[in-house]
Amino acid sequence: MNVIPVIDLLHGQVVRAVRGDRQHYRPIASALCASSDPLSVARTLCEYCAARQLYVADLDALQGGVGHVAVVRQLLEALPGIELWLDAGFADVSQAQALCAGLGPMAERLVPVFGSESLRSRAALEACFTSEVRRQGSGILSLDRRNGERLDAAGCWESPALWPARVIVMTLERVGAGTGPDLATLRGVAALSPRAQLIGAGGIDSEADLALAREAGASAWLVASALHDLKLARRSV
């Protein structure tokens, strides 16, 4: 199971995400990291996980504010071997392309995450994963839900024919809660698109949880709290 470390950015700091309640997130307190500085936390987590990918949730951008473009640039410059998955509340593919255009060659290592909670319409969904866009770079779709409700103005959950090769199954009420992975939803998504590479998010609290997620069809899992709390072992290459 590939463990992909996560940093959640809010007001220039890494915060601890809990149950998707973004208004109450606080700067990270970690057994691994001495500060909430984004680069320090990212370096530590990537080293601990022997990671080749880093997931960044830009919470300011997700809530309609000014995004952390400078921090994203700093992370790409300082971590040259990392593919950075960025969820910055992209409403359509043009917003992701505009951000990438300002990053120059480093944009080749940035993978935009298009969240169902953020995409503005079905037309926007369709434009994200056309053959032309795929040739320019492969984005990821995140299917987002909270407390049993799909966050999905664009109808992403009901359109598996439009899904890309990689799909995140994001259960927000389990993020940072340590309540175990949402395997039922993961299996449901797998049944809709058997060929998709599924990445889970939320709930992981132990190595046993990771094993259950792998058996349910996940190829990777996005993790933050379980790493900061030393509930997962250090990974090796």
Side-chain angles (χ1 to χ4, degrees):
M1 170 67 75
N2 182 22
V3 173
I4 300 175
V6 174
I7 63 171
D8 293 276
L9 299 178
L10 185 65
H11 307 322
Q13 300 182 84
V14 177
V15 296
R16 183 177 287 251
V18 183
R19 299 183 186 275
D21 186 9
R22 294 166 181 160
Q23 299 300 319
H24 295 93
Y25 288 178
R26 295 293 179 265
I28 195 73
S30 172
L32 284 176
C33 312
S35 79
S36 59
D37 171 70
L39 181 54
S40 297
V41 176
R43 282 188 190 277
T44 300
L45 292 183
C46 288
E47 179 183 353
Y48 190 84
C49 295
R52 307 307 296 174
Q53 293 93 21
L54 172 69
Y55 184 97
V56 177
D58 187 336
L59 300 177
D60 289 287
L62 277 161
Q63 296 177 102
V66 177
H68 293 81
V69 178
V71 175
V72 169
R73 178 181 293 277
Q74 181 186 34
L75 291 170
L76 287 167
E77 289 174 344
L79 302 169
I82 292 295
E83 181 182 71
L84 193 152
W85 297 6
L86 176 65
D87 185 355
F90 301 120
D92 54 42
V93 70
S94 66
Q95 291 185 353
Q97 290 172 334
L99 187 149
C100 288
L103 293 173
M106 290 187 298
E108 295 180 359
R109 291 188 289 111
L110 188 138
V111 178
V113 175
F114 297 98
S116 67
E117 71 165 311
S118 302
L119 285 170
R120 70 170 85 252
S121 65
R122 181 181 173 88
L125 168 64
E126 292 173 351
C128 283
F129 305 113
T130 64
S131 58
E132 180 180 354
V133 170
R134 283 172 175 161
R135 284 196 297 271
Q136 296 172 354
S138 57
I140 298 173
L141 176 65
S142 180
L143 297 174
D144 308 320
R145 67 191 296 273
R146 181 191 287 114
N147 298 325
E149 179 181 354
R150 296 173 178 178
L151 307 179
D152 190 16
C156 301
W157 284 81
E158 299 172 355
S159 307
L162 299 177
W163 295 354
R166 293 185 289 188
V167 176
I168 295 168
V169 182
M170 175 78 70
T171 306
L172 283 166
E173 76 270 15
R174 299 201 184 204
V175 169
T179 53
D182 183 0
L183 302 182
T185 300
L186 185 80
R187 292 189 182 103
V189 172
L192 290 173
S193 184
R195 295 185 179 181
Q197 179 185 353
L198 300 184
I199 302 100
I204 292 296
D205 198 48
S206 66
E207 296 288 348
D209 283 342
L210 285 177
L212 290 172
R214 182 175 58 249
E215 292 171 4
S219 64
W221 210 273
L222 306 180
V223 183
S225 293
L227 295 171
H228 291 293
D229 296 340
L230 299 180
K231 293 183 176 180
L232 299 182
R234 180 183 292 272
R235 265 56 189 167
S236 59
V237 178

